[in-house]
Amino acid sequence: MTEPEPESDATTTILPLFPLQTVLLPGTKLPLHIFEPRYRQLTADLVSGTVPDREFGVVALRSSLTREVRGLDQLYEIGCSTVLREAKRLPDGRFDVVTEARRRFRLRDLDCVSAPYLIASVEWVDDDPVAPAGGMAERLATVARAAHQRYCETAWHSDDWNAPDPDTTIAELAYTLAADCLLPLEDRQRLLEERHPLRRLRIACRLLTRETGFLNTLGAVPLPPGELTDLSRPASLN
């Protein structure tokens, strides 16, 4: 009997890793204020081209009490890579940066010693193929867009949000809609991990509807998206 072939390393990639107390969704922008020395070094390596393609990984911490990441059990398994788009170095060595999320990955191994910052071995995670579904996908997209509009009209001023571009694909739409919604970390992680585009869009629709109900019941509104930059600052001393 032929033994199964060992799993190939060809599909794995090495990425610098930035653990945060937030979940990054593909296609969204992430502003960061970089102040800790190890991540100042990461930013310098991204700017200089030492890190290929200016790409690094963002992954959510499993506990807000985490102070030092030493193992995979402290992190969610699925994260998202992001590409440095803008970087402004401040006089004291800190950076203000803007990144754009690109693609999902699964953590395979963690290197805590080769660099000042964490380095991970990852494999890319693609969506499951979706068979042609007639008009079902279009109907679901219409319902989800309507749920997004109700949420935004409840949560934001009219100039604080925009409807997604009509050309947004079904695969991208759930992420785009969720970007305007202040979802708990666990809900954002659920969206990130869902590999079936239609199921992901249904989840986003339910979450938007739920959050709109909460806002209507509480009579309170969150901060507009432009005032959330500080929530993206690293909360752990990694």
Side-chain angles (χ1 to χ4, degrees), residues 106-132:
R106 177 178 287 104
L107 288 173
R108 285 306 189 192
D109 198 10
L110 197 62
D111 180 354
C112 303
V113 299
S114 296
Y117 42 82
L118 297 173
I119 298 175
S121 175
V122 308
E123 65 177 19
W124 302 117
V125 175
D126 295 323
D127 272 343
D128 294 333
V130 178

Side-chain angles (χ1 to χ4, degrees), residues 5-25:
E5 295 183 2
E7 188 171 314
S8 172
D9 290 331
T11 58
T12 61
T13 300
I14 301 300
L15 277 182
L17 200 64
F18 200 151
L20 291 171
Q21 287 176 5
T22 190
V23 175
L24 185 59
L25 300 176

Side-chain angles (χ1 to χ4, degrees), residues 3-169:
E3 293 185 0
E5 295 183 2
E7 188 171 314
S8 172
D9 290 331
T11 58
T12 61
T13 300
I14 301 300
L15 277 182
L17 200 64
F18 200 151
L20 291 171
Q21 287 176 5
T22 190
V23 175
L24 185 59
L25 300 176
T28 59
K29 298 288 182 64
L30 177 66
L32 289 167
H33 178 71
I34 308 296
F35 56 87
E36 192 179 348
R38 71 184 75 184
Y39 293 117
R40 293 188 196 184
Q41 183 61 57
L42 171 57
T43 305
D45 290 347
L46 292 165
V47 170
S48 69
T50 302
V51 174
D53 302 320
R54 293 189 167 193
E55 187 173 21
F56 62 101
V58 171
V59 66
L61 294 157
R62 288 190 175 274
S63 171
S64 61
L65 300 179
T66 299
R67 304 301 292 174
E68 191 78 16
V69 174
R70 292 300 184 191
L72 293 174
D73 59 323
Q74 296 171 281
L75 304 169
Y76 281 92
E77 183 182 22
I78 304 297
C80 186
S81 76
T82 191
V83 178
L84 182 69
R85 297 300 188 197
E86 301 174 26
K88 178 182 178 181
R89 188 183 183 104
L90 304 177
D92 62 0
R94 293 175 294 138
F95 287 90
D96 286 330
V97 305
V98 176
T99 76
E100 184 175 2
R102 178 177 286 182
R103 47 187 173 170
R104 293 172 298 175
F105 61 79
R106 177 178 287 104
L107 288 173
R108 285 306 189 192
D109 198 10
L110 197 62
D111 180 354
C112 303
V113 299
S114 296
Y117 42 82
L118 297 173
I119 298 175
S121 175
V122 308
E123 65 177 19
W124 302 117
V125 175
D126 295 323
D127 272 343
D128 294 333
V130 178
M136 184 176 69
E138 288 73 17
R139 290 193 296 271
L140 179 57
T142 299
V143 172
R145 284 174 177 272
H148 172 260
Q149 180 173 342
R150 287 192 296 270
Y151 174 89
C152 290
E153 288 176 345
T154 302
W156 316 126
H157 297 298
S158 60
D159 56 351
D160 285 331
W161 68 278
N162 295 291
D165 190 285
D167 294 331
T168 304
T169 67

